[in-house]
Amino acid sequence: VFDRHGHLVVCHPEAIWADPPDINVLPDSDGDDPRTVDKLLDGVNHTGDDLHAWLAPFRRGENHYVGLRFDTRVTISMIRVWNYNKSRIHSYRGARYVEMKLDDAYIFKGEIARAVGTGAKADIEDCSECILFTTSETTLRLIEKYDTALQSASTGATKLVALAEATSEGQRTGAMRQALSLDAAHDNLDKAIK
């Protein structure tokens, strides 16, 4: 989660929860599986390593939740969703359809890409999905500047601005259209707060 100044929003491990929490809740589990929800905040996202991944049991026909509590008011500019990326076969364990709410209002509903399943060997774009809540070139350049995942990637750091430019040329998916429409709402909210 990136704020309007391009900074990664830092949250403590206690700020995140999930239902089901992880596969340690399964009856045949010994309770020692390291793939717990706190790993989503450990800063190691571009990986296939179990020590930095979260895995919850799939419950057919039921919802699976991840929640994040912010300590302070945050204006969200971008959320990058890292999908499960352990291996090609195991990448099917990742999320497909995602709904996000902020203060009980939907801010995103849509499908996200499956990771390619090659761990850190893959490009960032092949393991994650960026959901933009702004088309501000200034904000996107700040995210590129401060995003450590982009800085360590070999693909360069101009893709966010290119993504925003593509949206202004009408080449956006339904999910991106939905997320970007919130940009004006965020601006109005910021003005109301000030």
Side-chain angles (χ1 to χ4, degrees):
V1 177
F2 291 85
D3 66 18
R4 66 179 173 182
H5 303 292
H7 293 284
L8 184 66
V9 177
V10 178
C11 297
H12 302 286
E14 302 83 36
I16 195 164
W17 59 270
D19 182 25
D22 51 58
I23 62 173
N24 290 312
V25 300
L26 294 173
D28 56 345
S29 171
D30 61 7
D32 289 334
D33 194 279
R35 295 170 291 185
T36 53
V37 72
D38 59 301
K39 303 306 186 300
L40 296 177
L41 298 177
D42 75 356
V44 183
N45 305 108
H46 192 195
T47 185
D49 185 349
D50 284 346
L51 296 177
H52 300 288
W54 170 61
L55 182 64
F58 178 71
R59 302 179 302 193
R60 185 173 304 281
E62 295 184 39
N63 291 320
H64 301 74
Y65 298 96
V66 175
L68 186 60
R69 289 178 294 277
F70 297 108
D71 291 335
T72 60
R73 180 178 287 275
V74 175
T75 299
I76 298 172
S77 294
M78 184 183 89
I79 297 174
R80 180 179 291 122
V81 179
W82 294 90
N83 224 334
Y84 198 78
N85 194 37
K86 182 174 180 172
S87 68
R88 274 185 348 163
I89 292 171
H90 290 116
S91 68
Y92 284 94
R93 291 178 169 174
R96 184 180 60 88
Y97 180 77
V98 174
E99 294 181 357
M100 294 182 191
K101 285 184 173 183
L102 180 65
D103 297 331
D104 292 322
Y106 283 103
I107 59 171
F108 177 82
K109 287 184 181 185
E111 290 194 13
I112 60 171
R114 179 179 59 89
V116 294
T118 56
K121 297 176 196 168
D123 288 340
I124 286 177
E125 302 84 31
D126 295 331
C127 307
S128 65
E129 185 87 30
C130 289
I131 302 167
L132 299 178
F133 297 96
T134 185
T135 54
S136 163
E137 188 172 329
T138 302
T139 302
L140 296 173
R141 293 235 183 256
L142 287 170
I143 292 171
E144 291 172 346
K145 178 180 177 181
Y146 298 123
D147 185 359
T148 56
L150 280 178
Q151 292 168 2
S152 64
S154 60
T155 58
T158 58
K159 298 204 178 196
L160 292 178
V161 172
L163 181 61
E165 288 170 355
T167 62
S168 52
E169 294 170 11
Q171 303 168 353
R172 58 182 92 155
T173 65
M176 285 174 61
R177 202 172 13 258
Q178 198 173 14
L180 289 168
S181 69
L182 293 172
D183 192 34
H186 279 277
D187 290 343
N188 291 337
L189 181 62
D190 283 343
K191 290 175 188 171
I193 293 170
K194 291 178 183 176

